[in-house]
Structures are given as structure tokens and as C-alpha cells.
Amino acid sequence: MPGFGQIPASRRGTEVHFAPPFPVAGPLLAPSPAWTGEAASGFSSSPSDPERTTAKPAARLLVPPGQFYKKKLNVGVAAAANDGGTLIGGIDRVRFRYEGATVDVLEPSAFTFPDSNGNEVTYWGYWVTLSKLPGTVGEAQLYAEVVPADATMQARVIGPYSFFPAKKLHDAEYTVDPDDAVSSTNFHSFDDALAQVKSDAAANPRVTFKKAMNNVAMSFIPPTFTPSGYVTVEAKAPVTFGRTALTTTASVDSDSNLRPRLNGLWLKGGNITVDYAYVDNLYSEGGKEFVLDGITMTNSRGPNALWRGGPYWTGSRVRNSPYFLEVSASNLENIAVAASLVRGGVFANLSRDIFADVRCLVGTRVETHDDTPFNDDAPAFTVHYTGTQSTATIARSGTVDPNNATYTFKWGGNSASFTVGKQPADYAGTDADGYLFAEVVDFINTVLASQDSGWSATLNDTQGRRASSGSLAGLKAQGFGDTNCKSAPLDIVSSFDAHGDWYQQRFNTISENVIAYDNVAYDMQSQNIFISSTSDAKDFVFFNNALGNDPVGSDYFSETSVFSQIGRSGTATTISHVVIAHCSMPNQTLSFRNDGVPSTFDSYCLVANNALRGLVKNGTAPIDAKITGNHLLAGSNPLAEAVATTTGGSATDLFADFTIGDFLPAGALLSNLKVPVVTRNQAGVQRLPVAPAGAI
């Protein structure tokens, strides 16, 4: 059986036409005869999700909702739940309800289909095939009721999700072809085509680029438009969306967004690239998410490029909660934060957060994550006072890269200051005294030197970094107090203290219903699984994930000092039905944070059959979780709460070569077999009655 979603999308598009028969994923499900074409008209009463009073399954869609279809459409649900210490059989059934019609799917299956670039991909889930009610088209609502096997848990109902049985897949077609005459359906720019789409108010239109184009704009042109379905964009030749230069206005960074005043944009196929070199964010207005389907996302300026002299401001490269389907992404930071779904795809040369707050994360591959260029001390400038005063100091106010930082210079009984900022207005020169280290150096060599010729400075910064990042070596980007620059030249360095996580539950964001499985990542300088927010974590299920870290490290990152963790020190959060099972983390320890005011772990929590560097807890409060069948590196001490823990081997001899993403088990993993708690391994192979701990 093929692996689940591990085949990367091709870089260039291919038109895909399903050859008959259509690949049917599961049982057919059409709306009931009571459905009139109006949403919810087929239900006598619409399903609803009960208020959570105890654990529920984790369950999310494996496809974007809101799609039109002519005949059939495959829809999957990713679902899992702990059933007394195992995920095997943890779901009794997934009951799909579609406008009054119902079908039960009793078992998950691996469904293989061609992605938007014609590559076969496979994903494990509960699949159904939506079909049509003869003679009726319109908006139909789908719900999925996920019923746990454990009778003490509640069912979870997800939905409603709108789908659209239709006579035509696209009710309006437009082209962008600069070599053809402008008409009501052909345009010389994407902005003009989109303006016509908005004017026509098409329900599910498609815009097709006929010729290769670069630096295609998405301009802020009213009104905001939300189609019933999506505005699908495809290309017959390579097309790149982007900008040619960084904006230098004093307004907000949204000047550099790609913001088409649109909801429901679907970028489709490998001929489409979004280049973030001079783009902060692909901006959805909200209400219907964007879909990135088989496209390339990159920064042509390379990994760790600076934005206005520092890390890019964006909290996420696509605003709100988009869908990523088999994308190819590289040289980006905060690539998929808060996504509804990240399915498949290859993500390379990343920095800062990768999949923070993603709701459903399945079958992805991460190749290299490195925050070193943002974190290691970079030379900024050297300052020296050689004048007649007996003392001279420099200080920088604030903490890490603050919005405003003041450099204060004192010599004898004299003092002077220079304030730098990091906002767009500071960059544009309309606020603060300056922005760049070059401006601080110029202040020292002109203003200060005019008051006392003993002051001098040399610029060491070659990157054009912002001066708010100034610090002293080893302080990890913090400000500093009065520091002697009289007795010897003083080197000021630059650092941004940027660090990332493979998966992080961010503060005060998502607190319930997350599922992540069959993912691979290697060569990362990150915390891997960080379920450690100031809010609760309920029904977070992670399994069959193989996550390897950079064994060499840097001044900022060491495999021995960076931990994955569940719970948060000093925060009385509820940790309920959090599951980490059959995950491989060869060189990262998993920590239960139950110190200080401890988090509370309930009995639905499960940490089982993982292959880890170590497994520790940071406090003495009890952990009411089942911890069983884990394998730790030689020399690790099993937790008192854990059972069936084995130890032995090193990170390098327990796996074929995790440093390049090969997590095949070896050594002590093969001689300490466990009763599995997940049916199939990450490669899609049925596990034997006893099998290695870890993802494979």
C-alpha cells in the first residue's frame, strides 16, 4: 500500500482529466428527495455538535468545503480517539449526513487519487463519495458525526459544510492573455479579469492564464467579493504572483500584501507560483478561506531574507485559516500558521513557526528548518570613546527587538540619546530618530563627535539590519544597561531571538480538536510538538509523525536543551484527551509540564509507543494519563507513571538515517517490539501483532 500523502507535487502543472471510472473513495451519498436545492432543506432538523463535557474524537475534513461538482466528489474525514490506551478501533463509525440522507463508514481506508498536478497521493481517513440527486442542483449541507468506541466519550459533529451539485463545474470562464484582444472574457491583467468576475457575480468562476507572466499583481480593488464556490485560478504556462520591490511608505505593511478583496480564491496547479520576496501576506478578507492547491510558494531572495531590516512581520503567509493541498513551499517563515488543513506537500528551508495552530496536518514533509541567521549574534557596529572624560558608556533600552529602542550615551557628566523604531513609519523616516544601524553610527560620528571628538563608531553591519535588534554578545537580543566603551572598543551585535516550532498551540487560539498524522520532518532547529498554551488543550491527537532535529545545533539551539512539551509551567490549564502515539523523535525529549501551578492531565490522555530521546516531567503533581510502550535512548530514566518503557541505543543507531528523513527502525527498536496502538505505520503498511515503537 502506498504511503499516506508522501509524494510531492510536481513543480509544473499538467491538466488532469479523470479517466472513467471516476475513483470512488467510499459509499455513494446523494441528498435525500426532500432537498429542494436550498441549504438545509433536506433535513427535518439539522444536526448539532453537543457541548463538550468530556472527551471527544478529534475530527477534521480532508478536503476544502464549498466545492462544486457535476457528478461525484470524494470527501474524507480524518478522525481518531483513544479507546482505553489504543487508537485501534477508537472510532466506532463516522456517520455522514447529507441533506436528509445518511451513510455510516465503519472503518478508515487509504484512498489514492491524482492531485492537481497528476501525481498519485494517498491519505488515510473515513471517505464518502458525494453524488447528485437527479434533476436538482444547488447548495447542500454535509455533516459528519464521529462516534467514539469508548461509551464514556461524546460524539463530535462537524459541519455544516456546503457542497454544490451543479450542471456545470464553472458557471463562468475568463482568460488572461496579453496577446489576445480585450473582451468581456479575456483580459491583459489579472486585476482586470477579477474586476469582471466581481461585476458578473459568478458563483464558481475560473480564470485561466494563457501565457507566462511574472510579478502579477493582486490589487486592493473594491468591492470585496465572496462567490458561492471559489474563484479558481489556473495557468497554461508559468505564472508568478508577486511584487518587484518593497514598499517604502509610512503606512502599515499591508501595502505589501497581495490583497485582491476576495474570499474563496483557489490557486491551482504547479504552473502557479507565489513569490514572497517583496510580499508580506496573501490576504483573505475572511468568510471563505483561500485554497493553495499544488502551487509553489517561495521567496526568491532566499531563506532568512530580511524584511525592512528584520524578520518578515507576517504572522502567517496566508491570512486567516487557508487550505494547503500538496504545495511546494521553500524559503519562508510562518508558512502555514492557523491553516484549516495542510495536506501533503514538501516544505523546505523554513524558519520560525511551521504548522502552528493547524487544525488538520496530514502527510507533509519538512526538509530543513533553521533560525540561526536570525539568532546568532551578527556584527552591527563598534563604538569607542577616546576623549578626555574618565568614563563613557552606551546602553540600549527595551527587551528583544522592541518597537522603540533608545541608545543612551554617557561620558563624564554628559549624555545624549538616539531613538530607533521598527515600524513602517520609522523605516520611511517619518517617525523616531532612525531605523538602521548605519543611522546610529552616523549619529555617533557626527552629532556626538561634534560635542566631543573622542566619540567614534564603525559600521560592521553588511545586511542593512534595523537597530532595534542591537544587543551585546551572548545576551540573546536583549537590551543592555550602561556598558563601558572607554577602556576598549565595544562591539554591538544584532539578534532577533526568533525561534520556531514544528507544531505549536499558540496562546489564546485553538484549544480543541486538532489531528496530525503521517508527517515527516528532519534537520529542524525547533521544538517539535509544543502543546503548551495559556489555554486548555482538548482532543489533540498526534500519531505516526517522524520528527528529527539538527544534531549539530548552534549557539541558540541544542538537541539536549530544547524539548517538546505538553502543559505549561505555572498555568492551571486542562489537558484532556491529548494523544501522542507512534511518533519518532530521535533527538528530542518530551516533557510533561506539571510544575508550579500545574496543568491537569485527564485519563483520556495517552502517550504510547513513541521512540524518543527521553520522557520527563517537570513537577511533582500527578499525571493521570496512560504512558506506555515508549522507547527511550540509552541512559534515559523511565517515568514512574510509565509502564512498559524500554531503553537502549542512540539516535543514530535506532534509525536508518533520521538526519536525511529516513526513520526506518533499527537496533534496539527492532529488539524491543511492542503491541501497536495504531493499525498502520507511516508508510501505510499494516503493523504486525508486535512492532517497533515510533512512526514506522
Side-chain angles (χ1 to χ4, degrees), residues 184-321:
S184 61
T185 58
N186 183 69
F187 304 89
H188 289 179
S189 74
F190 179 70
D191 283 346
D192 289 345
L194 193 55
Q196 189 66 49
V197 168
K198 294 179 181 181
S199 176
D200 293 345
N204 196 53
R206 177 167 60 180
V207 178
T208 302
F209 285 84
K210 291 295 193 69
K211 304 289 172 57
M213 297 181 72
N214 288 317
N215 298 311
V216 176
M218 292 186 187
S219 301
F220 185 82
I221 301 174
T224 296
F225 176 63
T226 303
S228 299
Y230 292 90
V231 177
T232 299
V233 180
E234 300 182 21
K236 301 291 187 182
V239 168
T240 299
F241 288 95
R243 292 178 176 270
T244 58
L246 180 67
T247 59
T248 57
T249 63
S251 59
V252 296
D253 276 303
S254 60
D255 288 348
S256 295
N257 289 334
L258 293 176
R259 186 177 182 182
R261 289 292 296 270
L262 178 70
N263 295 310
L265 176 67
W266 189 308
L267 299 178
K268 184 176 182 180
N271 271 334
I272 294 178
T273 295
V274 179
D275 185 356
Y276 286 89
Y278 301 106
V279 171
D280 185 59
N281 187 271
L282 181 57
Y283 195 102
S284 163
E285 302 297 327
K288 174 165 281 191
E289 305 297 351
F290 285 4
V291 180
L292 301 314
D293 182 3
I295 70 167
T296 295
M297 305 170 69
T298 192
N299 184 340
S300 61
R301 294 169 58 214
N304 304 111
L306 296 181
W307 174 269
R308 303 191 198 278
Y312 279 66
W313 277 84
T314 184
S316 178
R317 282 308 193 170
V318 186
R319 187 173 182 264
N320 293 319
S321 297

Side-chain angles (χ1 to χ4, degrees), residues 18-104:
F18 289 124
F22 180 85
V24 174
L28 296 178
L29 180 62
S32 73
W35 179 60
T36 65
E38 296 293 325
S41 60
F43 292 110
S44 56
S45 62
S46 294
S48 62
D49 187 40
E51 181 181 354
R52 190 186 190 279
T53 58
T54 186
K56 291 183 177 182
R60 294 283 182 175
L61 276 190
L62 285 167
V63 301
Q67 296 185 61
F68 277 53
Y69 65 97
K70 288 175 60 179
K71 294 181 179 179
K72 297 182 179 68
L73 181 69
N74 294 309
V75 175
V77 168
N82 178 17
D83 182 20
T86 181
L87 297 183
I88 298 173
I91 301 299
D92 176 72
R93 68 194 60 214
V94 175
R95 177 165 292 158
F96 290 92
R97 303 178 187 272
Y98 194 39
E99 290 292 351
T102 301
V103 68
D104 286 353

